[in-house]
Amino acid sequence: YNLKKENENLINNKIQNDELESLKIIENNLRNDLEQCNLELEDVLRQLAVERHARAEAERIRNETGEQLALCASRLRNLNANHEELQNSYEVAVSKTCEITSQLVSERATAY
């Protein structure tokens, strides 16, 4: 009877040891899976950080470009206004030149 009982205990111990080994293997596999998931998560977080930085840089460039466009538009309006003033001054100068030339021609004709 004692041998039978001892044999049963050995068998039960063997079963428990096998189960424990199986659980250890499962635990190890789960740890590996968790480590792999953590590595993938870190990679995704790095990619998100890169994307966030790229978006911020694109936004900065867009804002800077908008400011430059506004500045260019303002300068263009000023140049157009200056051009109009110069055009008017030119027309006045041409008119005066014609007037003076006409007076000179008239004075010379009178002199002769």
Side-chain angles (χ1 to χ4, degrees):
Y1 172 80
N2 283 342
L3 281 178
K4 185 177 180 188
K5 188 72 168 164
E6 194 175 319
N7 196 26
E8 282 178 12
N9 284 342
L10 286 174
I11 290 172
N12 283 338
N13 283 345
K14 170 75 169 117
I15 290 171
Q16 286 177 351
N17 283 341
D18 288 349
E19 287 175 352
L20 186 60
E21 280 304 309
S22 288
L23 289 175
K24 284 181 181 179
I25 291 171
I26 290 170
E27 180 187 21
N28 192 43
N29 288 341
L30 288 173
R31 282 182 196 276
N32 290 340
D33 290 348
L34 181 60
E35 190 175 325
Q36 185 61 37
C37 284
N38 282 335
L39 291 174
E40 290 173 13
L41 180 60
E42 286 175 13
D43 188 46
V44 167
L45 290 174
R46 269 192 300 278
Q47 290 174 9
L48 281 173
V50 167
E51 182 181 330
R52 231 180 267 122
H53 177 72
R55 284 178 187 245
E57 184 67 11
E59 181 70 16
R60 183 191 66 74
I61 290 170
R62 188 174 67 83
N63 290 340
E64 194 175 280
T65 302
E67 290 167 7
Q68 288 175 349
L69 282 174
L71 187 59
C72 285
S74 173
R75 286 179 179 163
L76 185 58
R77 283 191 297 275
N78 289 341
L79 286 172
N80 283 336
N82 289 345
H83 175 75
E84 278 187 43
E85 283 181 31
L86 288 172
Q87 185 70 34
N88 291 339
S89 296
Y90 173 77
E91 288 172 8
V92 168
V94 167
S95 175
K96 284 184 180 178
T97 302
C98 288
E99 192 179 305
I100 291 169
T101 304
S102 178
Q103 285 175 358
L104 286 173
V105 166
S106 179
E107 287 175 11
R108 283 197 181 158
T110 307
Y112 291 114

